[in-house]
Amino acid sequence: TGSAGVRTGNGQFDNMKSLADKGGLVRTMLLPLIILQRFSGFAKIPLLPSFDKVAFREITGDYAFKDGLMTIQESHMDSNAAHVTAKGTADLAKDELNLHISTKLGSQMGLNISGPIAFTVRGPLASPTVRPDVTSILKQPVIEDAVEQGKRLLQNLFK
């Protein structure tokens, strides 16, 4: 029971997996980033960077602990790869995650994605289920434009 926080400025990590393998407090504090890194490497989603080597401007987090339940009140990383935020809970005693992670990709990715792409993360720490938030994807201007063009095309076909 208690609270913890992390605040760090400019830096980089070259091997997120080695940080995750250290376990303990470091792993707990960086849990949202570790999950996103693991998921992006496993799923091979072209929209997500690998997060293996990241130069960051800032990493912050505020966490509350009670009876084995970690509540992520605020967690974010501002980096060259993405701006990542996370909220939710990790029941460390029961090994259950219930997180919402949002990523806004860095401009160097060369993609026309201006809004955040969100994910829900549920299940055990070792093998969580990560699902994209479809609404956040559909709200991207490039997707909205394509849908709008499709609507206009269909309207013109049925005139």
Side-chain angles (χ1 to χ4, degrees), residues 21-90:
D21 290 344
K22 291 183 187 212
L25 190 58
V26 172
R27 180 186 171 125
T28 302
M29 301 300 230
L30 297 176
L31 183 63
L33 302 177
I34 291 167
I35 289 170
L36 191 59
Q37 187 269 341
R38 186 183 303 156
F39 176 69
S40 66
F42 171 74
K44 305 290 187 218
I45 293 178
L47 295 178
L48 292 177
S50 70
F51 292 101
D52 289 329
K53 295 183 179 189
V54 175
F56 58 86
R57 290 174 282 288
E58 178 179 57
I59 296 177
T60 67
D62 289 312
Y63 311 90
F65 298 89
K66 182 173 173 112
D67 299 326
L69 181 70
M70 176 178 77
T71 301
I72 301 171
Q73 297 168 329
E74 183 275 329
S75 174
H76 86 264
M77 175 184 71
D78 186 13
S79 75
N80 63 334
H83 182 86
V84 179
T85 61
K87 289 190 177 206
T89 60

Side-chain angles (χ1 to χ4, degrees), residues 36 48 51 82-85 101-105 113 115-119:
L36 191 59
L48 292 177
F51 292 101
H83 182 86
V84 179
T85 61
I101 298 176
S102 179
T103 62
K104 184 169 182 193
L105 300 176
I113 297 175
I117 297 174
F119 301 90

Side-chain angles (χ1 to χ4, degrees), residues 88-111:
T89 60
D91 192 325
L92 304 174
K94 294 180 182 175
D95 190 34
E96 279 293 314
L97 298 172
N98 185 8
L99 302 175
H100 185 266
I101 298 176
S102 179
T103 62
K104 184 169 182 193
L105 300 176
S107 59
Q108 86 289 350
M109 297 298 293
L111 300 168

